[in-house]
Amino acid sequence: GIITLILCIGCTSMKFWIPSYTIDEVISFKKAIDTADNPAKGFILLKEIERKRVIVKKATVKQISQSTNIDYIFCVIATAESSLDVECYIYTRDWRNQEDVYLVAQLKPGDSIYVVGRFSRFLKLLGQQYAVELVESNIKKLR
């Protein structure tokens, strides 16, 4: 009984030991990847942030759209408050590890949000300097 409980808590809390990066740090990685003179160096840098946790302290919701990621139904597109203009494509998960459609349904353009998500990839957008996809994200609406 108690050993199983400890093992379960140990396994779920393993997520807490994943390093976290700010959105500015993620963009620093992107710049280093783009300017790497050796493609292997860029690859190593990308592997370093792959699947790591990203914290966006404040972002402004631009729109809610249909997802282009097959694992999700909806995508929250937001602009991160950062030293640069960073667009975030955010895919949510709730505590049951299902898409948090109820939370997404409450969001509207202009809302300020706090996001903790897992870095998935950099996106290429026309005219947009930086775009980041975050999956398994938790969003908290800021007042």
Side-chain angles (χ1 to χ4, degrees):
I2 197 88
I3 292 172
T4 310
L5 179 67
I6 291 168
L7 284 173
C8 288
I9 291 169
C11 292
T12 55
S13 63
M14 288 302 281
K15 281 186 176 176
F16 298 116
W17 303 111
I18 298 171
S20 295
Y21 294 98
T22 65
I23 197 71
D24 284 324
E25 289 170 322
V26 169
I27 296 308
S28 294
F29 270 98
K30 176 67 173 145
K31 287 178 182 173
I33 290 164
D34 289 349
T35 58
D37 49 2
N38 180 334
K41 173 83 173 146
F43 179 80
I44 289 168
L45 286 168
L46 187 59
K47 285 290 174 205
E48 197 171 315
I49 60 167
E50 201 173 65
R51 303 181 64 80
K52 298 298 189 293
R53 195 167 33 198
V54 177
I55 297 171
V56 181
K57 288 191 166 115
K58 189 173 183 194
T60 304
V61 174
K62 282 176 65 176
Q63 72 181 78
I64 311 301
S65 69
Q66 294 293 318
S67 174
T68 55
N69 181 319
I70 62 163
D71 296 327
Y72 297 88
I73 305 166
F74 300 103
C75 176
V76 176
I77 301 171
T79 304
E81 241 174 55
S82 157
S83 56
L84 294 158
D85 192 25
V86 180
E87 198 146 289
C88 298
Y89 286 69
I90 306 160
Y91 299 95
T92 63
R93 286 277 183 246
D94 63 16
W95 62 276
R96 291 184 310 261
N97 205 33
Q98 295 169 339
E99 185 167 359
D100 200 344
V101 176
Y102 296 102
L103 178 108
V104 172
Q106 294 170 26
L107 298 174
K108 59 190 182 304
D111 282 348
S112 289
I113 56 174
Y114 174 89
V115 183
V116 177
R118 190 170 57 73
F119 175 83
S120 173
R121 61 190 174 128
F122 291 108
L123 302 169
K124 293 218 183 300
L125 299 179
L126 291 173
Q128 182 72 34
Q129 202 170 6
Y130 296 105
V132 176
E133 184 179 76
L134 301 175
V135 296
E136 296 174 15
S137 302
N138 296 109
I139 295 175
K140 191 172 99 184
K141 219 165 133 173
L142 299 172
R143 298 262 170 249

